[in-house]
Coordinates of all heavy atoms in Angstrom, one line a residue:
M284 N -2.6 -14.7 15.2 CA -2.5 -13.3 14.8 C -3.8 -12.6 15.0 O -4.9 -13.2 14.8 CB -2.1 -13.3 13.3 CG -1.9 -11.9 12.8 SD -1.6 -11.8 11.0 CE 0.1 -12.4 11.0
R285 N -3.7 -11.5 15.5 CA -4.9 -10.7 15.8 C -5.5 -10.2 14.5 O -4.9 -10.0 13.5 CB -4.7 -9.5 16.7 CG -4.2 -9.9 18.1 CD -4.0 -8.7 18.9 NE -3.3 -7.6 18.2 CZ -2.3 -7.0 18.7 NH1 -1.9 -7.2 19.9 NH2 -1.7 -6.0 18.0
K286 N -6.9 -10.2 14.4 CA -7.6 -9.8 13.2 C -7.1 -8.4 12.8 O -7.0 -8.2 11.6 CB -9.1 -9.8 13.4 CG -9.9 -9.5 12.2 CD -11.4 -9.6 12.4 CE -12.2 -9.3 11.3 NZ -11.7 -8.7 10.1
N287 N -7.0 -7.4 13.7 CA -6.5 -6.1 13.3 C -5.2 -6.1 12.6 O -5.0 -5.3 11.7 CB -6.5 -5.2 14.5 CG -7.9 -4.8 15.0 OD1 -8.9 -5.0 14.3 ND2 -8.0 -4.3 16.2
D288 N -4.3 -6.9 13.1 CA -2.9 -7.0 12.5 C -3.0 -7.6 11.1 O -2.4 -7.1 10.2 CB -2.0 -7.9 13.3 CG -1.6 -7.3 14.6 OD1 -1.8 -6.1 14.8 OD2 -1.1 -8.0 15.5
R289 N -3.9 -8.6 10.9 CA -4.1 -9.2 9.6 C -4.7 -8.1 8.6 O -4.3 -8.0 7.5 CB -5.0 -10.4 9.7 CG -5.3 -11.0 8.4 CD -4.2 -11.6 7.7 NE -4.6 -12.2 6.4 CZ -3.8 -12.5 5.4 NH1 -2.5 -12.3 5.6 NH2 -4.2 -12.9 4.3
D290 N -5.7 -7.5 9.1 CA -6.4 -6.4 8.3 C -5.4 -5.3 7.8 O -5.4 -4.9 6.7 CB -7.6 -5.8 9.0 CG -8.7 -6.8 9.2 OD1 -8.8 -7.8 8.6 OD2 -9.6 -6.5 10.1
K291 N -4.6 -4.9 8.8 CA -3.6 -3.9 8.5 C -2.6 -4.4 7.5 O -2.3 -3.6 6.5 CB -2.9 -3.5 9.8 CG -1.9 -2.3 9.6 CD -1.3 -2.0 11.0 CE -0.3 -0.9 10.8 NZ 0.4 -0.6 12.1
F292 N -2.1 -5.6 7.6 CA -1.2 -6.2 6.7 C -1.8 -6.3 5.3 O -1.2 -5.8 4.3 CB -0.8 -7.6 7.1 CG 0.1 -8.3 6.1 CD1 1.5 -8.0 6.1 CD2 -0.4 -9.2 5.2 CE1 2.3 -8.6 5.1 CE2 0.4 -9.8 4.3 CZ 1.7 -9.5 4.2
V293 N -3.0 -6.8 5.2 CA -3.7 -6.9 3.9 C -3.8 -5.6 3.2 O -3.6 -5.4 2.0 CB -5.0 -7.7 4.0 CG1 -5.8 -7.6 2.7 CG2 -4.7 -9.1 4.4
R294 N -4.3 -4.6 4.0 CA -4.5 -3.2 3.5 C -3.2 -2.6 3.0 O -3.2 -2.1 1.8 CB -5.2 -2.4 4.5 CG -5.5 -0.9 4.1 CD -6.2 -0.1 5.2 NE -5.7 -0.3 6.5 CZ -4.6 0.4 7.0 NH1 -4.0 1.3 6.2 NH2 -4.2 0.3 8.2
L295 N -2.2 -2.7 3.8 CA -0.9 -2.0 3.4 C -0.2 -2.8 2.3 O 0.3 -2.2 1.4 CB 0.0 -1.9 4.6 CG -0.4 -0.9 5.7 CD1 0.5 -1.0 6.9 CD2 -0.4 0.5 5.1
A296 N -0.2 -4.1 2.4 CA 0.4 -4.9 1.3 C -0.3 -4.7 0.0 O 0.4 -4.6 -1.0 CB 0.4 -6.4 1.7
T297 N -1.6 -4.7 0.0 CA -2.3 -4.4 -1.3 C -1.9 -3.1 -1.9 O -1.6 -3.0 -3.1 CB -3.8 -4.5 -1.1 OG1 -4.1 -5.8 -0.6 CG2 -4.6 -4.3 -2.3
K298 N -1.9 -2.1 -1.1 CA -1.6 -0.7 -1.5 C -0.1 -0.7 -2.0 O 0.1 -0.1 -3.1 CB -1.8 0.3 -0.4 CG -1.6 1.7 -0.8 CD -1.9 2.6 0.4 CE -1.7 4.1 0.0 NZ -2.1 5.0 1.1
R299 N 0.8 -1.2 -1.3 CA 2.2 -1.1 -1.6 C 2.6 -2.0 -2.8 O 3.4 -1.5 -3.7 CB 3.0 -1.5 -0.4 CG 2.9 -0.4 0.7 CD 3.7 -0.8 1.9 NE 3.4 0.2 3.0 CZ 4.0 0.1 4.2 NH1 4.8 -0.9 4.5 NH2 3.7 1.0 5.1
V300 N 2.0 -3.2 -2.9 CA 2.3 -4.0 -4.0 C 1.7 -3.4 -5.3 O 2.4 -3.4 -6.4 CB 1.8 -5.5 -3.8 CG1 1.9 -6.3 -5.1 CG2 2.6 -6.1 -2.7
N301 N 0.5 -2.9 -5.3 CA 0.0 -2.2 -6.4 C 0.8 -1.0 -6.9 O 1.0 -0.8 -8.1 CB -1.5 -1.8 -6.2 CG -2.4 -3.0 -6.3 OD1 -2.1 -4.0 -7.0 ND2 -3.5 -3.0 -5.5
A302 N 1.3 -0.2 -5.9 CA 2.1 0.9 -6.2 C 3.5 0.4 -6.9 O 3.9 1.0 -7.8 CB 2.4 1.7 -5.0
A303 N 4.0 -0.6 -6.3 CA 5.3 -1.2 -6.9 C 5.0 -1.7 -8.3 O 5.9 -1.4 -9.2 CB 5.8 -2.3 -6.0
L304 N 3.9 -2.4 -8.5 CA 3.6 -2.9 -9.9 C 3.5 -1.7 -10.9 O 4.0 -1.8 -12.0 CB 2.4 -3.8 -9.8 CG 2.5 -5.1 -9.1 CD1 1.2 -5.8 -9.0 CD2 3.5 -6.0 -9.8
K305 N 2.8 -0.7 -10.4 CA 2.6 0.5 -11.3 C 4.0 1.1 -11.6 O 4.2 1.5 -12.8 CB 1.7 1.5 -10.6 CG 1.5 2.8 -11.4 CD 0.8 2.5 -12.7 CE 0.5 3.8 -13.5 NZ 0.0 3.6 -14.8
A306 N 4.8 1.2 -10.6 CA 6.2 1.8 -10.8 C 7.0 1.0 -11.8 O 7.7 1.5 -12.7 CB 6.9 2.0 -9.5
I307 N 6.9 -0.4 -11.7 CA 7.6 -1.3 -12.6 C 7.0 -1.1 -14.0 O 7.8 -1.1 -15.0 CB 7.5 -2.7 -12.1 CG1 8.3 -2.9 -10.9 CG2 8.0 -3.7 -13.2 CD1 8.1 -4.2 -10.1
Q308 N 5.7 -0.9 -14.2 CA 5.1 -0.7 -15.5 C 5.7 0.6 -16.1 O 5.9 0.7 -17.3 CB 3.6 -0.7 -15.4 CG 3.0 -2.0 -15.1 CD 1.5 -1.9 -14.7 OE1 1.0 -0.8 -14.6 NE2 0.8 -3.0 -14.5
L309 N 5.8 1.6 -15.3 CA 6.3 2.9 -15.7 C 7.8 2.7 -16.2 O 8.2 3.4 -17.1 CB 6.2 4.0 -14.7 CG 4.7 4.4 -14.4 CD1 4.7 5.3 -13.2 CD2 4.1 5.0 -15.6
I310 N 8.6 1.9 -15.5 CA 9.9 1.6 -15.9 C 9.9 1.0 -17.3 O 10.7 1.3 -18.1 CB 10.7 0.8 -14.8 CG1 10.9 1.6 -13.6 CG2 12.0 0.2 -15.4 CD1 11.3 0.7 -12.4
G311 N 9.0 0.1 -17.5 CA 8.9 -0.6 -18.8 C 8.6 0.4 -19.9 O 9.0 0.2 -21.0
N312 N 7.9 1.4 -19.6 CA 7.6 2.4 -20.6 C 8.9 3.1 -21.1 O 8.9 3.7 -22.2 CB 6.6 3.5 -20.1 CG 5.2 3.0 -19.8 OD1 4.9 1.9 -20.3 ND2 4.4 3.7 -19.1
L313 N 9.9 3.1 -20.3 CA 11.2 3.7 -20.7 C 11.9 2.9 -21.9 O 12.8 3.4 -22.5 CB 12.2 3.7 -19.5 CG 11.8 4.6 -18.4 CD1 12.7 4.4 -17.2 CD2 11.8 6.1 -18.8
S314 N 11.3 1.7 -22.2 CA 11.9 0.9 -23.3 C 11.6 1.5 -24.7 O 12.2 1.0 -25.7 CB 11.3 -0.5 -23.2 OG 9.9 -0.5 -23.5
N315 N 10.8 2.5 -24.8 CA 10.4 3.1 -26.1 C 11.6 3.9 -26.6 O 11.9 5.0 -26.2 CB 9.2 4.0 -25.9 CG 8.7 4.5 -27.2 OD1 9.4 4.5 -28.2 ND2 7.4 4.9 -27.3
R316 N 12.3 3.3 -27.6 CA 13.6 3.9 -28.1 C 13.3 5.2 -28.9 O 14.2 6.0 -29.1 CB 14.3 2.9 -28.9 CG 15.0 1.9 -28.1 CD 16.3 1.5 -28.7 NE 17.0 0.4 -28.0 CZ 18.1 0.6 -27.3 NH1 18.6 1.8 -27.2 NH2 18.6 -0.4 -26.6
S317 N 12.1 5.4 -29.3 CA 11.8 6.6 -30.1 C 11.7 7.8 -29.1 O 11.8 9.0 -29.5 CB 10.5 6.5 -30.9 OG 9.4 6.3 -30.0
N318 N 11.5 7.5 -27.8 CA 11.4 8.6 -26.8 C 12.7 8.7 -25.9 O 12.9 9.8 -25.3 CB 10.2 8.4 -25.9 CG 8.9 8.7 -26.7 OD1 8.8 9.5 -27.6 ND2 7.9 7.9 -26.3
Y319 N 13.4 7.6 -25.8 CA 14.5 7.6 -24.9 C 15.8 7.0 -25.5 O 15.7 6.2 -26.4 CB 14.2 6.8 -23.7 CG 12.9 7.2 -23.0 CD1 11.7 6.4 -23.2 CD2 12.8 8.4 -22.2 CE1 10.5 6.8 -22.6 CE2 11.6 8.8 -21.7 CZ 10.5 8.0 -21.8 OH 9.3 8.4 -21.3
D320 N 16.9 7.5 -25.0 CA 18.2 7.0 -25.5 C 18.9 6.3 -24.3 O 19.1 6.9 -23.2 CB 19.1 8.1 -25.9 CG 20.4 7.7 -26.4 OD1 20.6 6.5 -26.9 OD2 21.4 8.5 -26.4
Y321 N 19.1 5.0 -24.5 CA 19.8 4.2 -23.4 C 20.5 3.0 -24.0 O 20.3 2.7 -25.2 CB 18.7 3.7 -22.4 CG 17.7 2.8 -23.1 CD1 17.9 1.4 -23.1 CD2 16.5 3.3 -23.6 CE1 16.9 0.6 -23.8 CE2 15.6 2.5 -24.2 CZ 15.8 1.2 -24.3 OH 14.8 0.3 -24.9
G322 N 21.4 2.5 -23.2 CA 22.2 1.3 -23.7 C 21.9 0.1 -22.9 O 21.2 0.1 -21.8
D323 N 22.5 -1.0 -23.3 CA 22.3 -2.3 -22.6 C 22.8 -2.2 -21.2 O 22.2 -2.8 -20.3 CB 23.0 -3.4 -23.3 CG 22.4 -3.8 -24.6 OD1 21.2 -3.4 -24.8 OD2 23.0 -4.4 -25.5
E324 N 23.9 -1.5 -20.9 CA 24.4 -1.3 -19.6 C 23.4 -0.6 -18.7 O 23.2 -1.0 -17.5 CB 25.7 -0.5 -19.6 CG 26.4 -0.4 -18.3 CD 27.7 0.3 -18.3 OE1 28.5 0.1 -19.3 OE2 28.0 1.1 -17.4
D325 N 22.7 0.4 -19.2 CA 21.6 1.0 -18.4 C 20.5 0.1 -18.0 O 20.1 0.1 -16.9 CB 21.0 2.2 -19.2 CG 22.0 3.3 -19.6 OD1 22.9 3.6 -18.8 OD2 22.0 3.8 -20.7
V326 N 20.1 -0.7 -19.0 CA 19.0 -1.7 -18.7 C 19.5 -2.7 -17.6 O 18.8 -3.0 -16.7 CB 18.6 -2.5 -20.0 CG1 17.6 -3.6 -19.7 CG2 18.1 -1.5 -21.0
Q327 N 20.8 -3.2 -17.8 CA 21.3 -4.1 -16.8 C 21.3 -3.5 -15.4 O 21.0 -4.2 -14.4 CB 22.7 -4.6 -17.2 CG 22.7 -5.4 -18.4 CD 21.9 -6.7 -18.3 OE1 21.9 -7.3 -17.3 NE2 21.2 -7.0 -19.4
K328 N 21.7 -2.2 -15.3 CA 21.7 -1.6 -14.0 C 20.3 -1.5 -13.4 O 20.2 -1.7 -12.2 CB 22.3 -0.2 -14.1 CG 23.8 -0.2 -14.3 CD 24.3 1.3 -14.4 CE 25.8 1.3 -14.6 NZ 26.3 2.7 -14.7
I329 N 19.4 -1.1 -14.2 CA 18.0 -1.0 -13.7 C 17.5 -2.4 -13.1 O 17.0 -2.4 -12.0 CB 17.0 -0.6 -14.8 CG1 17.3 0.9 -15.2 CG2 15.6 -0.8 -14.4 CD1 16.6 1.4 -16.4
F330 N 17.7 -3.4 -13.9 CA 17.1 -4.7 -13.5 C 18.0 -5.3 -12.3 O 17.4 -6.0 -11.5 CB 17.0 -5.6 -14.6 CG 15.8 -5.3 -15.4 CD1 15.9 -4.5 -16.6 CD2 14.5 -5.7 -15.0 CE1 14.8 -4.1 -17.3 CE2 13.4 -5.3 -15.8 CZ 13.5 -4.5 -16.9
K331 N 19.2 -5.0 -12.3 CA 20.1 -5.5 -11.1 C 19.6 -4.8 -9.9 O 19.4 -5.5 -8.8 CB 21.5 -5.2 -11.4 CG 22.4 -5.6 -10.3 CD 23.9 -5.3 -10.5 CE 24.7 -5.8 -9.3 NZ 26.0 -5.3 -9.3
A332 N 19.3 -3.5 -9.9 CA 18.9 -2.8 -8.7 C 17.5 -3.3 -8.3 O 17.3 -3.5 -7.1 CB 18.8 -1.3 -9.0
L333 N 16.6 -3.5 -9.2 CA 15.3 -4.1 -8.9 C 15.4 -5.5 -8.3 O 14.8 -5.8 -7.2 CB 14.4 -4.1 -10.1 CG 13.9 -2.7 -10.6 CD1 13.2 -2.9 -12.0 CD2 13.0 -2.0 -9.7
Q334 N 16.2 -6.3 -8.9 CA 16.3 -7.7 -8.4 C 17.0 -7.7 -7.0 O 16.6 -8.5 -6.1 CB 17.2 -8.5 -9.4 CG 17.2 -10.0 -9.0 CD 15.8 -10.6 -9.0 OE1 15.1 -10.5 -10.1 NE2 15.3 -11.2 -8.0
E335 N 18.0 -6.9 -6.8 CA 18.6 -6.8 -5.5 C 17.6 -6.4 -4.4 O 17.6 -7.0 -3.3 CB 19.8 -5.9 -5.5 CG 21.0 -6.5 -6.2 CD 22.2 -5.5 -6.3 OE1 22.1 -4.3 -5.9 OE2 23.2 -6.0 -6.9
E336 N 16.8 -5.5 -4.7 CA 15.8 -5.0 -3.7 C 14.8 -6.1 -3.4 O 14.3 -6.3 -2.3 CB 15.2 -3.7 -4.1 CG 14.5 -3.0 -3.0 CD 15.3 -2.7 -1.8 OE1 16.5 -2.3 -2.0 OE2 14.8 -2.8 -0.7
L337 N 14.4 -6.8 -4.5 CA 13.4 -7.9 -4.3 C 14.0 -9.0 -3.4 O 13.4 -9.5 -2.5 CB 13.0 -8.5 -5.7 CG 11.9 -7.8 -6.4 CD1 11.8 -8.4 -7.8 CD2 10.6 -7.8 -5.7
N338 N 15.3 -9.3 -3.7 CA 16.0 -10.3 -2.9 C 16.1 -9.9 -1.4 O 15.9 -10.7 -0.5 CB 17.4 -10.6 -3.4 CG 17.4 -11.2 -4.8 OD1 16.4 -11.8 -5.2 ND2 18.5 -11.2 -5.5
T339 N 16.4 -8.6 -1.2 CA 16.5 -8.1 0.2 C 15.1 -8.2 0.9 O 15.1 -8.7 2.1 CB 17.0 -6.6 0.2 OG1 18.3 -6.6 -0.4 CG2 17.0 -6.1 1.6
S340 N 14.1 -7.8 0.2 CA 12.8 -7.9 0.8 C 12.4 -9.4 1.1 O 11.8 -9.7 2.2 CB 11.7 -7.3 -0.1 OG 11.9 -5.9 -0.2
R341 N 12.7 -10.3 0.2 CA 12.4 -11.7 0.4 C 13.1 -12.2 1.6 O 12.6 -13.0 2.4 CB 12.7 -12.5 -0.9 CG 12.4 -14.0 -0.8 CD 11.0 -14.2 -0.5 NE 10.7 -15.5 -0.2 CZ 9.8 -16.2 -0.9 NH1 9.1 -15.7 -1.9 NH2 9.6 -17.5 -0.6
K342 N 14.4 -11.8 1.7 CA 15.2 -12.3 2.9 C 14.6 -11.9 4.2 O 14.6 -12.6 5.2 CB 16.6 -11.8 2.8 CG 17.4 -12.6 1.7 CD 18.8 -12.0 1.6 CE 19.6 -12.7 0.4 NZ 20.9 -12.1 0.2
K343 N 14.0 -10.7 4.2 CA 13.3 -10.2 5.4 C 12.2 -11.1 5.8 O 12.0 -11.4 7.0 CB 12.9 -8.7 5.3 CG 14.0 -7.7 5.2 CD 13.5 -6.3 5.1 CE 14.6 -5.3 5.0 NZ 14.1 -3.9 4.8
F344 N 11.4 -11.5 4.8 CA 10.2 -12.4 5.1 C 10.8 -13.7 5.6 O 10.2 -14.3 6.5 CB 9.3 -12.5 3.9 CG 8.3 -11.4 3.8 CD1 8.6 -10.3 3.0 CD2 7.1 -11.4 4.4 CE1 7.7 -9.2 2.8 CE2 6.2 -10.4 4.3 CZ 6.5 -9.3 3.5
D345 N 11.8 -14.2 4.9 CA 12.4 -15.5 5.3 C 12.9 -15.5 6.7 O 12.7 -16.5 7.4 CB 13.4 -16.0 4.3 CG 12.9 -16.3 2.9 OD1 11.7 -16.5 2.7 OD2 13.7 -16.3 1.9
L346 N 13.6 -14.5 7.0 CA 14.2 -14.3 8.4 C 13.1 -14.2 9.4 O 13.2 -14.9 10.5 CB 15.1 -13.1 8.4 CG 15.8 -12.9 9.8 CD1 16.7 -14.1 10.1 CD2 16.6 -11.6 9.7
A347 N 12.0 -13.5 9.1 CA 10.9 -13.4 10.1 C 10.3 -14.8 10.3 O 9.9 -15.1 11.4 CB 9.9 -12.4 9.5
Q348 N 10.1 -15.6 9.2 CA 9.6 -16.9 9.3 C 10.5 -17.8 10.1 O 10.0 -18.6 11.0 CB 9.4 -17.5 7.9 CG 8.8 -18.9 7.9 CD 7.3 -18.9 8.4 OE1 6.6 -17.9 8.2 NE2 6.9 -19.9 9.0
K349 N 11.8 -17.7 9.9 CA 12.8 -18.5 10.7 C 12.7 -18.2 12.1 O 12.7 -19.1 13.0 CB 14.2 -18.3 10.1 CG 15.2 -19.2 10.8 CD 16.6 -18.9 10.2 CE 16.8 -19.7 8.9 NZ 18.2 -19.7 8.4
R350 N 12.6 -16.9 12.5 CA 12.5 -16.5 13.9 C 11.2 -17.0 14.5 O 11.2 -17.4 15.7 CB 12.5 -14.9 14.0 CG 13.9 -14.4 14.0 CD 13.8 -12.9 14.4 NE 14.6 -12.1 13.4 CZ 14.1 -11.1 12.7 NH1 12.9 -10.6 13.0 NH2 14.9 -10.5 11.8
Q351 N 10.1 -17.0 13.8 CA 8.9 -17.5 14.3 C 8.9 -19.0 14.6 O 8.3 -19.5 15.5 CB 7.7 -17.1 13.4 CG 6.4 -17.4 13.9 CD 5.3 -17.0 12.9 OE1 5.5 -16.8 11.7 NE2 4.1 -16.9 13.4
T352 N 9.5 -19.8 13.7 CA 9.5 -21.2 13.8 C 10.6 -21.7 14.6 O 10.7 -22.9 15.0 CB 9.5 -21.9 12.4 OG1 10.7 -21.5 11.7 CG2 8.3 -21.5 11.6
G353 N 11.6 -20.9 14.9 CA 12.8 -21.3 15.6 C 13.9 -21.8 14.7 O 13.6 -22.1 13.5
N354 N 15.1 -21.9 15.2 CA 16.2 -22.3 14.4 C 17.0 -23.4 15.1 O 18.1 -23.2 15.6 CB 17.1 -21.0 14.2 CG 18.1 -21.3 13.1 OD1 18.0 -22.2 12.3 ND2 19.1 -20.4 13.0
L355 N 16.3 -24.5 15.3 CA 16.9 -25.6 16.0 C 17.7 -26.5 15.0 O 17.3 -26.8 13.9 CB 15.8 -26.5 16.7 CG 14.9 -25.7 17.7 CD1 13.8 -26.6 18.2 CD2 15.8 -25.2 18.8
F356 N 18.8 -27.1 15.5 CA 19.6 -28.0 14.8 C 19.0 -29.3 14.7 O 18.4 -29.8 15.6 CB 21.0 -28.1 15.4 CG 21.9 -29.1 14.7 CD1 22.5 -28.8 13.5 CD2 22.0 -30.4 15.3 CE1 23.3 -29.7 12.9 CE2 22.8 -31.3 14.6 CZ 23.4 -31.0 13.4
S357 N 19.1 -30.0 13.5 CA 18.6 -31.3 13.4 C 19.4 -32.0 12.2 O 19.7 -31.3 11.2 CB 17.1 -31.3 13.1 OG 16.7 -32.6 12.7
F358 N 19.6 -33.3 12.2 CA 20.2 -34.0 11.1 C 19.1 -34.5 10.2 O 19.4 -35.1 9.1 CB 20.9 -35.3 11.6 CG 22.3 -34.9 12.2 CD1 22.5 -34.9 13.6 CD2 23.3 -34.5 11.4 CE1 23.7 -34.6 14.1 CE2 24.6 -34.2 11.9 CZ 24.8 -34.2 13.2
D359 N 17.8 -34.2 10.4 CA 16.8 -34.7 9.5 C 16.7 -33.9 8.3 O 17.1 -32.8 8.1 CB 15.4 -34.5 10.2 CG 15.3 -35.5 11.4 OD1 16.0 -36.5 11.4 OD2 14.6 -35.2 12.4

């Protein structure tokens, strides 16, 4: 991997992961029942959506890794 590609990945990943963590923290702030009215179904929908998106992102990384290493058949 070229150094520029690595530097770009680290820079963008750091920025994007920190933004995602901040957004998740803000979602957690919605748990304050004195300020917000919500039900268990609402909470389930939020976390289902977040988990599905995490799973989709993880699959993209897994697929990229599989493409890089090849997908050869083996009984091992």
Side-chain angles (χ1 to χ4, degrees):
M284 182 183 288
R285 295 183 314 225
K286 183 175 178 355
N287 287 345
D288 290 343
R289 174 69 183 162
D290 292 343
K291 183 178 178 181
F292 175 82
V293 169
R294 180 176 46 82
L295 290 173
T297 300
K298 183 177 180 177
R299 291 176 186 180
V300 170
N301 284 331
L304 292 173
K305 179 63 176 172
I307 292 169
Q308 290 168 353
L309 292 173
I310 291 168
N312 291 347
L313 294 171
S314 66
N315 187 338
R316 288 214 182 251
S317 64
N318 292 326
Y319 306 106
D320 181 26
Y321 60 90
D323 290 339
E324 185 177 320
D325 299 320
V326 175
Q327 293 300 320
K328 284 181 181 180
I329 289 169
F330 284 96
K331 181 180 179 194
L333 291 170
Q334 189 61 57
E335 286 176 355
E336 196 58 39
L337 279 173
N338 292 345
T339 298
S340 293
R341 180 59 187 237
K342 285 178 186 177
K343 288 180 181 180
F344 277 94
D345 291 344
L346 183 58
Q348 181 67 30
K349 186 180 273 188
R350 275 192 231 128
Q351 186 177 19
T352 59
N354 193 14
L355 301 175
F356 174 79
S357 173
F358 282 107
D359 295 332

